[in-house]
Amino acid sequence: MDALVAILYIVAFALFIYGLMGLTGPKTAVRGNLIAAVGMAIAVVATLLQVEHNWLLIVVGLVIGTALGVPSARQVKMTAMPQMVALFNGVGGGAVALIAWSEFRTTDGFSGEPRTSSWRRCSRRSSGRSRSGAR
């Protein structure tokens, strides 16, 4: 199963790149968008193959997102499309922030990190300062 998921992710990645190449001109933009959408569908299927539980929550989220997104995307005028894209990106960023907050609360958070990170020690050495602060 892991090999199948890896292959699906590689195919999805290739379709994303190929779809982006199609977005370079107005004549190929529709085809490029469709190719990238197929890549996204494959990536979603690959991700769902790894999910062990909470299928109901995933389906409810998909239904709510579709019910809110499709009608609003169909009704917006082309001149207002940049604002619509900005709104969708903002909502996606908010969803990611909620997921990150949820994961932080359900896991140990920062408890596994050392108090002094290694980059601070490296930056002291690269700046020419010794531990006493003199150069």
Side-chain angles (χ1 to χ4, degrees):
M1 184 65 109
D2 290 337
L4 174 66
V5 170
I7 291 169
L8 288 175
Y9 280 136
I10 291 170
V11 169
F13 174 72
L15 289 174
F16 287 148
I17 299 299
Y18 191 64
L20 283 175
M21 288 174 20
L23 295 177
T24 58
K27 291 181 181 178
T28 59
V30 173
R31 186 183 66 198
N33 202 5
L34 287 174
I35 291 170
V38 169
M40 187 65 203
I42 292 172
V44 168
V45 168
T47 302
L48 291 177
L49 287 175
Q50 294 179 334
V51 174
E52 296 175 6
H53 40 272
N54 261 345
W55 280 89
L56 179 64
L57 191 58
I58 292 170
V59 171
V60 168
L62 286 172
V63 168
I64 291 172
T66 302
L68 294 175
V70 170
S72 60
R74 288 187 185 261
Q75 292 173 357
V76 71
K77 295 179 181 175
M78 287 305 290
T79 56
M81 193 56 72
Q83 292 88 343
M84 185 67 156
V85 170
L87 177 67
F88 282 170
N89 287 339
V91 170
V96 169
L98 289 174
I99 291 169
W101 179 70
S102 172
E103 285 296 315
F104 182 80
R105 300 230 345 131
T106 58
T107 61
D108 290 336
F110 291 126
S111 66
E113 291 187 5
R115 289 201 181 268
T116 304
S117 61
S118 60
W119 70 269
R120 286 185 183 164
R121 282 182 257 139
C122 292
S123 65
R124 283 186 194 144
R125 285 186 215 137
S126 64
S127 66
R129 293 183 181 179
S130 67
R131 292 187 182 208
S132 63
R135 288 190 177 213

